[in-house]
């Protein structure tokens, strides 16, 4: 008998699923056979009554010449038939039980073989072996469904691990850059014996700018982590808020930059009440507006709109700007993904739209982006309105966009 030791009680043994299925099949088979033998035994005893149709005192002549009373002969016949039926029936029942149990054990083992593959694959799994799959090719039954589900789970895990690796690598690279700049400037300045106060002041400005960049990246990472931790409507803070207020506050903070670039700003801020975390919603609006300004061009356009329709609060932020490939637009919502112009040296951590997506998911909403003809991007955020029933969970989807778009900061 195959047994496994329980994790909680190592001294307690329990049979395997294969053995339990075999025992269950054996009990049912032997039980059904025993009932049939019992019914046959009872039927034989009830059916063999030929003397009932004869007159009392009737005798029968046996083949050896002996004479017996019909009732006595009937009693002996019934006893002998019942005994023979019972013995042969029990022998047949025993043989059928052995064959049935062995067959059930073999069939159960074959049916449960994919489960052993699942167990073996799970035991072998590690960060370097997530490419292994069960790839069950048997009958399309519950076991096949379990195997497919397990393979799909491994696909998701592999994607999550790969995404985590990229995130850690990109975050390390982004943090290493300003630190390297600061160290280089300090080493170069200190190695110059003729450096004067002006040189030290220049070095101090470079170090300050690099530290501000590193601090901004750390802040963005903390906001992203906080937003993702509250995904699926598990917000720690749920208070009444308004997307229009968040847009107004964010627009006020970047008013000087918009005026410097001489942007044509158009606003249509209607009330869009929601229930959520006001600080995260402010960060959402701030990231969208900062991106729309940062990736705009001189004397470009910026349009902002908030409204409440169909039980959802909507925020639309659009801008003219630089052109990138249309296929890059969905990827802009991934951490540290930037468009073509960003690669030329524009400042930005590459976390702007990934934070927007995480905040939307935390509030049970969605975000989508559409590239504008001739350059620019229009981002639409949809969150459940304050007067609607909050959804239990949601996913901030990013549909494939057509046309051209700009990158996040």
């Amino acid at each position: 008998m195959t047994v496994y030791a329980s994790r909680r009680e190592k001294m307690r043994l329990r049979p395997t699923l294969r053995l339990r299925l075999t025992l269950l099949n054996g009990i049912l088979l032997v039980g059904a056979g025993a009932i049939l033998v019992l019914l046959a035994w009872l039927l034989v005893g009830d059916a063999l009554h030929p003397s009932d149709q004869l007159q009392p005192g009737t005798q029968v002549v046996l083949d050896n010449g002996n004479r017996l009373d019909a009732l006595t002969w009937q009693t002996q016949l019934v006893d002998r038939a019942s005994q023979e039926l019972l013995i042969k029936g029990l022998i047949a029942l025993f043989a059928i039980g052995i064959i049935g149990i062995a067959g059930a054990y073999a069939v159960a083992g074959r049916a449960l073989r994919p489960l052993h593959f699942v167990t073996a694959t799970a035991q072998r799994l590690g960060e370097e072996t997530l490419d292994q799959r069960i790839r069950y090719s048997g009958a399309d039954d519950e076991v096949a469904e379990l195997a497919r589900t397990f393979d799909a789970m491994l696909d998701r895990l592999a994607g999550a691990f790969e995404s985590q690796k990229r995130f850690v690598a990109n975050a390390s690279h982004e943090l290493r850059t300003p630190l390297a700049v600061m160290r280089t400037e300090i080493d170069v300045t200190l190695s110059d014996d003729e450096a004067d106060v002006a040189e030290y002041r220049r070095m101090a400005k470079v170090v300050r700018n690099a530290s501000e960049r590193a601090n901004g990246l750390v802040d963005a990472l903390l906001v992203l982590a906080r937003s993702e931790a509250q995904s699926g409507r598990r917000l720690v803070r749920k208070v009444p808020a308004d997307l229009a207020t968040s847009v107004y506050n964010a627009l006020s903070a970047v008013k000087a930059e918009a005026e410097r670039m001489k942007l044509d700003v158009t606003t249509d801020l209607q009330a869009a009440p929601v229930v959520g975390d006001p600080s995260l919603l402010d960060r959402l609006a701030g990231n969208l507006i900062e991106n729309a300004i940062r990736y705009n061009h001189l004397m470009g356009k910026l349009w902002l709109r908030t409204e409440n329709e169909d039980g959802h609060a909507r925020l639309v932020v659009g801008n003219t700007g630089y052109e990138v490939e249309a296929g890059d637009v969905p990827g802009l919502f991934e951490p540290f993904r930037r468009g073509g112009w960003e690669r030329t040296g524009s400042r930005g951590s590459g976390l702007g739209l990934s934070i927007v997506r995480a905040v939307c998911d935390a509030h049970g909403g969605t975000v989508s982006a559409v590239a504008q003809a001739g350059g620019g991007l229009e981002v639409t955020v949809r969150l459940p309105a304050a007067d609607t029933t909050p959804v239990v969970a949601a996913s901030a989807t990013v549909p494939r966009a057509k046309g051209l778009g700009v990158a996040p900061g």
Side-chain angles (χ1 to χ4, degrees), residues 107-233:
V107 172
R110 183 177 180 84
L112 297 176
R113 188 177 302 167
L115 295 182
H116 295 294
F117 293 158
V118 172
T119 303
T121 303
Q123 291 173 345
R124 292 194 306 267
L125 281 181
E127 187 175 351
E128 304 298 330
T129 58
L130 283 178
D131 58 334
Q132 298 184 11
R133 299 294 182 271
I134 298 189
R135 295 184 176 89
Y136 179 70
S137 58
D140 189 12
D141 52 10
E142 290 83 356
V143 176
E145 183 179 1
L146 174 62
R148 289 194 297 267
T149 302
F150 189 80
D151 285 344
M153 180 190 68
L154 290 180
D155 291 337
R156 293 192 297 271
L157 286 176
F161 272 96
E162 187 63 27
S163 177
Q164 184 184 49
K165 287 181 180 179
R166 290 198 304 268
F167 182 87
V168 173
N170 290 329
S172 301
H173 174 74
E174 293 291 336
L175 285 172
R176 188 184 297 114
T177 300
L179 296 177
V181 170
M182 287 188 286
R183 181 172 180 176
T184 300
E185 286 293 328
I186 293 173
D187 290 343
V188 170
T189 304
L190 291 179
S191 63
D192 186 1
D193 296 334
E194 299 180 357
D196 54 9
V197 175
E199 183 66 18
Y200 277 99
R201 290 180 62 87
R202 185 199 64 79
M203 181 267 291
K205 290 181 180 180
V206 174
V207 172
R208 183 188 62 183
N209 292 336
S211 65
E212 288 178 352
R213 180 179 177 183
N215 185 71
L217 177 61
V218 171
D219 289 342
L221 289 173
L222 290 175
V223 174
L224 180 61
R226 177 188 173 193
S227 303
E228 291 182 342
Q230 301 182 85
S231 62
R233 296 292 292 182

Side-chain angles (χ1 to χ4, degrees), residues 294-334:
R294 179 180 297 139
Y295 300 102
N296 218 316
H297 52 69
L298 190 63
M299 301 182 67
K301 294 182 179 180
L302 170 64
W303 58 94
L304 309 168
R305 184 170 72 253
T306 58
E307 56 190 358
N308 193 349
E309 64 173 14
D310 300 330
H312 286 83
R314 292 205 325 154
L315 164 61
V316 178
V317 178
N319 65 285
T320 56
Y322 297 86
E323 298 180 1
V324 295
E325 294 295 332
D328 292 341
V329 175
L332 299 180
F333 288 85
E334 299 298 328

